[in-house]
Structures are given as C-alpha cells and as structure tokens.
Amino acid sequence: MSSTRSLPSFSLLRCFEAAARYESFSAAADELNLSQGAISRHVKDLEAFVGTALFRREGRGVRLTEAGTSLARDVSADLDRLRSTFDHAIAAGGDRKVIRMSAPSTFSCRWLLPRLPAFKELHPEIEFIVSSRAGPYDLTEARDDLAIHFGGLDWPHSQLTTLCFESLVVVAAPTLLKPSTKSPVEHLKPLPRLHMQSRPDLWNDVSQAYNLTDEPVGSGSYFDQFSLVIAAAKAAMGAAILPTYLIESELKDGSLVKLLDVPVKDMRGYVIVTPLTPRAPLIKEFINWLKTQVS
C-alpha cells in the first residue's frame, strides 16, 4: 500500500467518506451495512496509506483531524465526480448522447423542463442530466456541458450567451379583483403584497412608478423562492411581482391576472454558460434551439 503509484481501494475510500460525513464509525457502519469493526479497520488501513491520523478518538466517539477534514473534502468531491461519470455512462448507454446541465430550480421546473420534450422529438437519442444550481461553479470540474444562470455577466472563466432579459409584471388572482374597479392601480391598492426575500426593492420600484407612495411598501408576506410566491399568488394571498417566463401557463389560463408592467432599472436576465473549451456541435445546436424558445 505504500507504493506512490497505487491507490487505496474503493471500499476504503467509501468507508472513510461515510465515517467522515457522520464523524461516527457506527453511523457509517449502519449506512454501508458493515460492522463498526470493519469501518475501524478500513480507516486504520487508510491512515497507514496516507501516513497520518485522520480521526482523533474522543471518549466513545471520533473527530476528524485537520488532515482528515482536508482529505474528506477532497474524497467527497472525487466520489461525486466518479458517480457523475457513471451516471453519464449509464444515461448514454448504447448509441445515446447526453447533455449535462444545471439551472435554478424554479426556472427549470416552470420554463426549461416543459420545453425539453420538444428538443427530444428532434433528437430522440438525447438524454438529459439536469441539476439545480444557483451560482457560479466550475463547469469543467463538474463535467457539465452548460449552465443557465440568472444575473449579470458574473461567471468568470466561461463563455456567456444571453438567453432572455427579465420582464416583470404585477399579478393577482382573479378572485381578488372587483368587477366594478376599472383601473389596474385601483385594483392593486387594497391588496396585500407578496415579497421575494432576495429582491426586497421590487415593490418600492412599483410604488414610485405608479405613484403609490402612500401605500405601505414593506408590509405583506415574504418568501424565499419564486415558486412559493407563485403558489401564494394563486392562493389569493395578495398581489405579486413575478417574471413573465415563470408564469406563462397561469397568465394563459387566467389563474393569475396581469395588472401592471414593472419598470426595469437594470437589464438582468438569464445567460447560458459554457466552459471556455470549444463547444461540441450538439451543444451549439441545443443553445441555438433554447434561444428560439424565448418569446
């Protein structure tokens, strides 16, 4: 095991990763269906391999040493990449091809995923591996072909392609609107406000644009996901400010009614991110197709 060319067995790495995650040999044993003694022996073998203690015994329990913490972080990432490699291979079995991508969760559920079957009709051999991520990461390390990202052009060491700019509207459930009221602003005034926690200034922008300065801007309910704001608006909890591309079906079927357009102060939207390496023809085609889906 001391050879610099050799690697510890997968069973050693798997046992160490589980023990490090729980900081417990017994919990790792339960997860892997092994005895606690087997976990302990595997950890000792790995400690012999790396030449340093990875755990510190504390009473009946264990704690990671500094070296153990560092190794656990790297091993966990390596095992995730290995799992990803096999997920890719399994999905791409036979003559099938795979597009690996990530996108914010609500955008994936409400805009992206409903459109992917149309691309599969053009390319039946294609399979997708889609994950939910909200911020910049190393696409090459993650082995993703592309990511869809909301915000500015703030993803370093990558190629960026604009997908769509944001279009915001004020909406409400039709049950909240009085037939006798003609003005959208008058419809809005008595309604409770629904807020997106990460974007607290949106209602202030609406109030200034439509001279609603006498209304309490910050009152109402707050949510940390657009999907929750949409659900609350449909449940008639109040008026909401939402991106049109997340509520296409609601605007079409009338479960939400547009009251006002929201003035845009900064042009933010979704961008398609790819590694700096040249794009494969399939990825180029998919990106071009995505851009045709923007209305």
Side-chain angles (χ1 to χ4, degrees):
M1 294 182 63
S2 61
S3 170
T4 57
R5 293 186 178 182
S6 65
L7 288 171
S9 69
F10 181 75
S11 60
L12 263 64
L13 297 176
R14 188 174 63 151
C15 288
F16 168 69
E17 188 275 335
R21 184 160 25 91
Y22 292 112
E23 285 195 310
S24 167
F25 289 177
S26 61
D30 289 342
E31 177 180 306
L32 299 178
N33 198 27
L34 296 171
S35 69
Q36 185 174 338
I39 298 292
S40 179
R41 288 193 299 274
H42 283 319
V43 168
K44 287 181 179 178
D45 287 344
L46 189 61
E47 288 177 328
F49 184 90
V50 298
T52 190
L54 302 175
F55 288 92
R56 180 175 61 253
R57 276 65 181 175
E58 292 185 354
R60 296 184 177 181
V62 293
R63 291 288 182 270
L64 284 164
T65 63
E66 185 175 344
T69 299
S70 177
L71 182 62
R73 181 176 58 250
D74 292 341
V75 167
S76 178
D78 290 338
L79 290 178
D80 282 344
R81 282 192 291 270
L82 188 58
R83 293 186 189 99
S84 177
T85 296
F86 279 97
D87 286 344
H88 194 294
I90 292 169
D95 295 328
R96 306 189 75 77
K97 298 177 181 179
V98 174
I99 294 177
R100 296 177 53 89
M101 60 186 301
S102 72
S105 178
T106 303
F107 182 83
S108 292
C109 291
R110 302 190 66 86
W111 191 91
L112 176 64
L113 296 183
R115 287 168 165 80
L116 292 186
F119 189 76
K120 281 183 65 64
E121 286 186 8
L122 301 174
H123 296 277
E125 77 283 5
I126 295 294
E127 299 293 354
F128 291 93
I129 298 178
V130 183
S131 58
S132 297
R133 296 187 187 233
Y137 65 97
D138 190 330
L139 272 74
T140 301
E141 183 175 318
R143 300 184 184 179
D144 282 352
D145 297 304
L146 70 144
I148 298 178
H149 168 62
F150 177 78
L153 304 179
D154 55 354
W155 198 306
H157 311 300
S158 301
Q159 300 182 72
L160 303 177
T161 302
T162 299
L163 178 60
C164 59
F165 291 108
E166 186 174 58
S167 173
L168 295 169
V169 292
V170 178
V171 296
T175 54
L176 292 178
L177 308 180
K178 297 180 180 179
S180 60
T181 303
K182 302 300 181 182
S183 166
V185 172
E186 294 304 314
H187 273 303
L188 176 61
K189 282 184 177 181
L191 299 184
R193 307 293 196 258
L194 306 178
H195 300 264
M196 181 69 172
Q197 288 179 356
S198 62
R199 305 183 70 178
D201 296 331
L202 290 179
W203 276 113
N204 186 57
D205 295 341
V206 171
S207 294
Q208 291 179 2
Y210 293 97
N211 196 27
L212 298 171
T213 53
D214 292 335
E215 303 299 319
V217 175
S219 63
S221 300
Y222 286 75
F223 305 88
D224 69 348
Q225 298 285 336
F226 268 130
S227 58
L228 299 178
V229 180
I230 294 168
K234 292 176 66 176
M237 288 182 62
I241 298 174
L242 291 167
T244 54
Y245 43 73
L246 297 186
I247 52 171
E248 291 173 332
S249 61
E250 285 79 8
L251 292 175
K252 185 176 182 179
D253 65 24
S255 56
L256 289 175
V257 177
K258 172 186 167 183
L259 298 179
L260 300 168
D261 290 307
V262 177
V264 177
K265 287 190 173 182
D266 56 341
M267 294 298 290
R268 295 202 299 171
Y270 283 90
V271 295
I272 300 169
V273 188
T274 52
L276 289 175
T277 52
R279 297 167 178 166
L282 176 62
I283 303 305
K284 290 181 180 178
E285 181 180 353
F286 180 61
I287 290 173
N288 290 334
W289 178 85
L290 279 177
K291 292 169 70 175
T292 69
Q293 300 302 298
V294 177
S295 59

